Amino acid sequence: MSAALLLPALLLDAALGEPRWLWSRRPHPAVLMGRAVDYLDRRMNRGSARRAKGMAAVVLLVTGAWTIGALIAAVPDFGLLEIVAAAILLSQRSLADHVAAVAAGLRLSLAEGRAAVARIVGRDTAAMQAPDVARAAIESAAENLSDGVMAPAFWFLVAGLPGLVVYKAVNTADSMIGHRTPRHEAFGWAAARLDDVLNWVPARLTAGLIAVAHLNGNWRAIRRDARLHRSPNAGWPEAAMAVALDVALSGPRSYHGRLQAFPWVWPEGRRDAGAADIDRAVAALWRTWALGLVVVALIALA
């Protein structure tokens, strides 16, 4: 049943994305999740025992997300609301559009490229050169293909709409409080660890889909370089994308004015990435999405 509902949800998201006319008037569910996380952070992240309080906050967040998803799924409408809700929480079209905008900006000027990529990455962009901009866009494409499309779809297949809503809530919490900063290292620990757990299988599935979609069997290189990433999961789709495009990713980059010497992912690849490579990454997003769609269709027919 979940696969039969996921199939039209994936198609609806791909067709419509995130209509500006709607979300400029109403808060997107991801925004509401962010507000909930911010509320818990402000109310609970104080005093002593912050790790325990962070765990309690995650329990509240997960319970609320599951309840909302279950209530929507219980509406007797033949799954229509579930399809719409799932489509809203998937982000294939918006991801492809945001990444493509970086290529368009880079073709206009380096400054436009920097401005466009600053909207989708958290690293410093002011001193980026064109290859840095392109690599950042491609890395964001790969990582968010897993976080924004394949992982939500996976958890919908596993646990229906409640599973998808829980995943999105935890992923939102991780992006907001799952950082090793003085304020959030203890309080955000539970959100970060749970996000790692929920993404473990989807990240590797995404890497596999990218590799199969591009008829690239160099799994040994993907496994080798995935482990170089500071995240236990993000390195998998990033390494698979690097191998598929034959472009070296990661490498040195700056955060908060401090240059950090991250290792290269697929160092054998080209290091002069440009707008055309971003276009190829967008095409790879759609090719991988199409393969995923076929897999969901086969599951629905089984």
Side-chain angles (χ1 to χ4, degrees), residues 81-99:
L81 277 179
E82 285 184 86
I83 292 170
V84 173
I88 290 171
L89 293 175
L90 293 164
S91 59
Q92 171 71 15
R93 177 65 179 270
S94 62
L95 171 61
D97 288 348
H98 279 94
V99 176

